[in-house]
C-alpha cells in the first residue's frame, strides 16, 4: 500500500485590486528559489505566505502594495486536492 505523506505544496501567491493588474508568484514542482537584488520583494513574499497561513502580523505597507486589497494563496495537497485561501 502506498501511503501519501501529509502536507501540501504552494502553487500561487497572488495580489489583486480593483484597478491594478494581478501581481502573482507561481511556484513549480520541487524546490523553488526566490532570488533578486536588495529591496526586490523577496522577504515580502515570505511575509505574505506567513500571513496567508495564519501568521499574526498584518502585511507591511510598501509602495508596491498600493491598490491591492486581496491576497490569495493556492495550495495543493499531496493527494492532489487544490485549495485557495483568500484574505483581505
Amino acid at each position: 500500500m502506498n501511503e501519501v505523506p501529509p502536507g501540501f505544496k504552494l502553487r500561487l501567491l497572488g495580489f489583486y485590486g480593483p484597478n491594478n493588474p494581478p501581481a502573482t508568484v507561481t511556484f513549480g514542482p520541487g524546490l523553488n528559489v526566490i532570488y533578486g537584488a536588495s529591496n526586490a520583494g523577496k522577504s515580502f513574499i515570505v511575509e505574505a505566505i506567513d500571513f496567508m497561513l495564519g501568521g499574526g502580523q498584518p502585511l507591511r505597507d510598501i509602495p508596491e502594495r498600493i491598490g491591492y486589497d486581496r491576497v490569495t494563496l493556492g495550495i495543493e495537497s499531496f493527494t492532489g486536492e487544490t485549495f485557495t485561501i483568500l484574505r483581505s
Side-chain angles (χ1 to χ4, degrees):
M1 175 195 277
N2 291 337
E3 277 194 46
V4 177
F8 59 90
K9 306 173 223 180
L10 301 179
R11 288 297 182 211
L12 178 86
L13 176 67
F15 289 82
Y16 303 91
N19 299 313
N20 288 346
T24 61
V25 176
T26 303
F27 301 97
L31 176 67
N32 289 257
V33 177
I34 300 170
Y35 65 95
S38 294
N39 292 319
K42 301 177 299 294
S43 295
F44 187 76
I45 290 171
V46 173
E47 291 170 15
I49 293 168
D50 184 52
F51 172 74
M52 293 304 293
L53 294 175
Q57 296 296 321
L59 289 176
R60 289 183 284 143
D61 286 327
I62 59 173
E64 295 81 3
R65 214 182 102 205
I66 293 173
Y68 292 98
D69 58 2
R70 295 178 316 270
V71 186
T72 63
L73 181 64
I75 58 176
E76 180 182 345
S77 72
F78 288 157
T79 60
E81 297 173 285
T82 59
F83 303 91
T84 302
I85 301 169
L86 170 69
R87 288 190 76 176
S88 296

